[in-house]
Amino acid sequence: MARADLPPAPQLDWAYFLDVDGTLIEIADTPDAVRVDAALLDLIARLHRASGGAVALVSGRALSFMRQRLGRLRLPLAGQHGLERRDARGRLHRVAAAPAAARRTITQALAPILARHPGLLLEDKGLTLALHYRLAPHLAAYAQRLMARLAAAAGSGFELQLGKRVAELKPAGTNKGKTVEHYLAEPPFKGRRPVFIGDDLNDEHGFAAVNRLRGVSIKVGRGRSCARYRLRDVAAVRAWLADTLQSRE
Ligand SMILES: [Mg+2]
């Protein structure tokens, strides 16, 4: 990657919004298979402390999953693309779930398809329904078309969010960009220059939000993006965060 794409050295008075899968940890074959290592927990804890608490993880994962995997780490967490969010004071904000009948219609329509294609995996995160095709990449176009059709049939309450080997239906109206704006209205994020780091299509909302705010948007890996900067991979993200901490702590 061109040197001109490399982000500037991070500052401890910035506000950090970090995606998790594909950004801080490697993507696994199935959603349950990811491992959060002790080195990462230590890095995030140090950044959180050194920045005065201005670090939030903003993930497509369910909040319950993140809490379970992050163990002792107590920090602001946004799950399901920001549909559920724990703020810096520990308060929980959650959008209303779509009507149960609409969700049931979707899962019932998917049931025979999942039975026919064992490589397709449906993950019910509580507010969103994610159809993973990582184990059956040849079904990508089919899975995307299928979920687009189900989103349209479900009415305006749902929208389709595509990602790496996943097509996801989520309640409309919230995304990672709006989540960043919510955090920036509250201490300790308020008034700081925002940084957003992510690797996937849903992170584009986060990049766009910090671009509007003259922040630092960083795309991990290749692919089209509105982010201003690039880091090559998970290891490069960790190194970028860690180098700065080492020189300042
Ligand atoms: Mg990601």
Side-chain angles (χ1 to χ4, degrees):
M1 255 161 234
R3 280 201 67 82
D5 285 348
L6 290 175
Q11 306 296 315
L12 291 176
D13 60 356
W14 290 356
Y16 290 85
F17 301 100
L18 309 173
D19 171 52
V20 179
D21 292 75
T23 296
L24 295 173
I25 55 178
E26 302 292 350
I27 294 174
D29 275 347
T30 62
D32 285 343
V34 300
R35 283 192 50 246
V36 180
D37 52 287
L40 176 66
L41 292 176
D42 181 60
L43 172 64
I44 299 300
R46 284 164 58 212
L47 180 64
H48 186 239
R49 201 162 50 235
S51 67
V55 178
L57 302 186
V58 182
S59 171
R61 296 273 187 182
L63 206 54
S64 57
F65 184 95
M66 293 166 74
R67 276 202 302 259
Q68 180 202 337
R69 294 299 164 108
L70 294 170
R72 63 191 165 77
L73 259 192
R74 288 288 300 177
L75 75 165
L77 295 177
Q80 301 190 65
H81 314 288
L83 296 164
E84 45 180 6
R85 181 174 78 90
R86 184 167 81 190
D87 68 20
R89 291 168 59 186
R91 290 172 310 190
L92 205 64
H93 310 259
R94 201 167 193 265
V95 307
R103 295 173 59 81
R104 208 160 41 237
T105 303
I106 294 168
T107 50
Q108 282 172 355
L110 286 171
I113 295 162
L114 295 169
R116 208 158 54 230
H117 300 290
L120 295 179
L121 185 74
L122 182 66
E123 183 187 15
D124 184 347
K125 300 183 193 172
L127 295 169
T128 78
L129 292 165
L131 184 64
H132 297 270
Y133 50 88
R134 181 160 296 277
L135 298 176
H138 61 286
L139 295 177
Y142 170 70
Q144 292 175 7
R145 266 200 319 271
L146 172 65
M147 292 302 262
R149 193 155 49 76
L150 290 173
S156 59
F158 276 104
E159 63 189 17
L160 178 66
Q161 173 67 64
L162 296 179
K164 287 181 176 168
R165 307 276 162 91
V166 66
E168 185 166 9
L169 297 186
K170 68 185 192 57
T174 295
N175 57 47
K176 289 189 176 185
K178 297 225 167 94
T179 305
V180 165
E181 288 167 5
H182 288 312
Y183 278 123
L184 285 171
E186 304 161 351
F189 300 96
K190 198 170 181 170
R192 290 173 181 247
R193 186 177 192 201
V195 182
F196 194 99
I197 315 181
D199 69 305
D200 208 344
L201 293 175
N202 60 65
D203 298 308
E204 295 295 319
H205 300 291
F207 300 146
V210 309
N211 287 348
R212 279 196 299 276
L213 297 162
R214 298 173 188 278
V216 179
S217 51
I218 307 175
K219 162 91 169 170
V220 183
R222 297 182 180 282
R224 278 175 66 91
S225 177
C226 71
R228 302 249 161 90
Y229 302 100
R230 297 265 177 176
L231 286 168
R232 186 181 298 273
D233 52 19
V234 168
V237 173
R238 292 187 183 203
W240 185 71
L241 295 170
D243 278 355
T244 313
L245 281 171
Q246 267 162 16
S247 63
R248 280 153 209 256
E249 271 176 345

